[in-house]
């Protein structure tokens, strides 16, 4: 079975395939969802991109003071918590999110982090709605990072992000972007497919490209579009897979997959309102297989690293 992924992050946008605790488009997703997905996010990250980014940051370090890192839509800080100890310093992070209360908790949490030389990092925060153009008015940046973002934004918004990176000669690390593929398996790791899947695939693709607050969403086209835009600015772009591998015998993976199935059900019912009964039956069959530990999944994602021209790396 192949289905496009529903994907979320705490910067205040809805993919249209929302877990049960998500709110309306333009609002932040519950921290419980962010906690639930973090183990899969961290396990999936493309480690092959670390070494070239570290080398580039080492060259950049000290030129204008501490390395200035920006995390767009930081949510509860999963991205900096993953990156800081793997990257050189000194690091000063600017965390951006539209939810002020969450942003305060996240900045306090991240202020305890250290870089790869065990030096404490510095953290500042900025409450900003990323849907507004002024959100990308950044004074200085060496690295601009975002997780689970570019599948939600419009082509025009992505162009603005690339221009922002180019203006600052900053590297970009855009991680965990959906590539439009989910494979489901049975307990013997055989592909599991049902007759309605092709129709549901197309419906979910269409739903992913609805306006998420930024204009028509790129959906699974996001990684390819980002690569084209950065290369047009002579950036050196490297992509690597960062798939979620959700196992039937893992309680944490089953909990995450349960939330995803609920999100797909909601999206499909919105996209195919006359097929509610068929969609509900489809959903309940999958939930039963999940409860019986007979359903696992590979959720396709792409990580992208873009290094400025003449970086020599």
């Amino acid at each position: 079975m192949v289905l496009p992924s529903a994907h979320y992050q705490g910067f205040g946008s809805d993919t249209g395939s929302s877990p049960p605790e998500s709110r309306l488009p333009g609002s932040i997703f519950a921290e419980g969802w962010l906690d639930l997905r973090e183990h899969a996010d961290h396990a999936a990250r493309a480690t092959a991109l670390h070494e070239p980014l570290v080398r580039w940051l080492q060259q950049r370090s000290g030129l204008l003071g501490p390395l200035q890192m920006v995390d767009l839509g930081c949510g509860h800080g999963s991205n900096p918590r993953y990156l800081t100890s793997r990257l050189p310093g000194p690091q000063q992070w600017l965390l951006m999110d539209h939810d002020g209360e969450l942003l305060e908790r996240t900045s306090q949490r991240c202020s305890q982090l250290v870089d790869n030389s065990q030096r404490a990092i510095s953290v500042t925060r900025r409450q900003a709605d990323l849907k507004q153009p002024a959100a990308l008015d950044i004074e200085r940046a060496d690295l601009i990072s975002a997780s689970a973002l570019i599948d939600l934004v419009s082509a025009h918004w992505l162009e603005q992000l690339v221009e922002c990176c180019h203006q600052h000669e900053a590297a970009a690390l855009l991680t965990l972007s959906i590539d439009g593929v989910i494979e489901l398996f049975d307990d013997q790791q055989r592909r599991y497919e049902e007759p309605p899947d092709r129709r549901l695939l197309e419906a979910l693709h269409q739903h992913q490209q609805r306006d998420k607050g930024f204009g028509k969403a790129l959906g699974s086209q996001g990684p390819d579009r980002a690569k084209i835009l950065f290369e047009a600015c002579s950036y050196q772009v490297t992509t690597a897979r960062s798939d979620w591998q959700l196992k039937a015998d893992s309680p944490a993976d089953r909990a995450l997959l349960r939330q995803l199935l609920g999100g797909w059900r909601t999206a499909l019912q919105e996209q195919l309102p006359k097929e509610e009964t068929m969609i509900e039956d489809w959903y309940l069959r999958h939930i039963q297989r999940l409860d019986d530990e007979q359903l696992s999944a590979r959720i396709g994602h792409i990580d992208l690293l873009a290094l400025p021209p003449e970086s020599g790396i």
Side-chain angles (χ1 to χ4, degrees):
M1 176 178 183
V2 182
L3 294 173
S5 168
H7 217 91
Y8 328 93
Q9 184 61 299
F11 64 90
S13 291
D14 183 1
T15 64
S17 304
S18 312
E21 65 268 22
S22 70
R23 305 174 191 172
L24 294 173
S27 69
I28 178 172
F29 297 111
E31 290 179 76
W33 167 250
L34 302 179
D35 290 334
L36 184 63
R37 61 170 290 168
E38 185 168 302
H39 79 281
D41 283 346
H42 286 194
R45 296 287 285 261
T47 58
L49 303 185
H50 295 166
E51 184 178 349
L53 177 58
V54 166
R55 291 201 306 269
W56 186 84
L57 289 171
Q58 286 173 334
Q59 291 183 0
R60 185 93 162 195
S61 179
L63 295 179
L64 296 172
L67 290 167
Q68 300 295 308
M69 319 292 219
V70 179
D71 193 45
L72 301 175
C74 63
H76 69 165
S78 178
N79 204 28
R81 285 205 309 277
Y82 178 86
L83 288 172
T84 50
S85 65
R86 292 171 169 83
L87 300 180
Q91 298 176 23
Q92 180 168 329
W93 282 81
L94 171 62
L95 306 181
M96 296 177 60
D97 197 283
H98 89 284
D99 186 299
E101 293 182 2
L102 177 60
L103 189 57
E104 182 175 0
R105 292 193 297 274
T106 297
S107 62
Q108 292 174 352
R109 191 176 185 183
C110 290
S111 66
Q112 308 302 313
L113 300 174
V114 297
D115 65 25
N116 66 1
S117 297
Q118 298 299 304
R119 290 171 294 196
I121 70 166
S122 173
V123 176
T124 58
R125 62 181 186 267
R126 176 179 160 196
Q127 186 174 357
D129 182 353
L130 293 188
K131 297 187 293 292
Q132 302 303 318
L136 293 177
D137 290 342
I138 298 169
E139 184 175 343
R140 184 191 148 209
D142 296 299
L143 172 67
I144 295 179
S145 66
S147 180
L149 170 61
I150 60 173
D151 42 281
L152 306 183
V153 304
S154 67
H156 177 66
W157 193 95
L158 186 58
E159 290 169 2
Q160 292 178 307
L161 174 61
V162 172
E163 176 58 31
C164 177
C165 293
H166 189 241
Q167 175 185 347
H168 293 285
E169 298 182 333
L173 183 63
L174 307 176
T175 60
L176 297 163
S177 303
I178 61 168
D179 70 349
V181 173
I182 291 179
E183 296 175 341
L184 297 184
F185 303 91
D186 64 17
D187 56 337
Q188 301 299 316
Q189 288 301 298
R190 295 172 299 204
R191 287 283 294 277
Y192 176 66
E193 188 167 270
E194 292 193 351
D197 288 346
R198 289 185 180 274
R199 185 180 182 193
L200 299 184
L201 167 66
E202 180 59 31
L204 281 168
H205 270 302
Q206 293 172 0
H207 198 281
Q208 281 185 320
Q209 294 178 345
R210 289 186 175 189
D211 188 339
K212 309 302 189 291
F214 297 84
K216 180 177 168 56
L218 286 166
S220 60
Q221 299 173 10
D224 285 343
R225 185 61 180 166
K227 186 174 188 293
I228 291 170
L229 291 172
F230 275 111
E231 289 182 338
C233 294
S234 300
Y235 269 63
Q236 176 184 331
V237 180
T238 306
T239 60
R241 300 208 62 83
S242 53
D243 298 341
W244 283 355
Q245 303 285 351
L246 306 182
K247 303 300 184 183
D249 60 356
S250 165
D253 287 352
R254 289 199 305 273
L256 180 56
L257 187 51
R258 179 182 296 274
Q259 294 285 57
L260 288 176
L261 286 167
W264 300 334
R265 174 181 61 173
T266 300
L268 289 168
Q269 289 172 341
E270 292 174 356
Q271 195 68 24
L272 302 172
K274 296 182 180 180
E275 302 290 346
E276 184 172 352
T277 299
M278 181 271 287
I279 293 165
E280 184 68 12
D281 290 344
W282 174 89
Y283 165 76
L284 292 174
R285 288 195 302 273
H286 285 73
I287 288 294
Q288 185 60 59
R289 295 184 67 86
L290 186 65
D291 289 341
D292 293 340
E293 299 186 14
Q294 295 181 352
L295 191 67
S296 59
R298 180 176 72 90
I299 315 294
H301 300 97
I302 299 292
D303 283 4
L304 180 149
L305 173 65
L307 297 175
E310 301 180 2
S311 63
I313 298 174

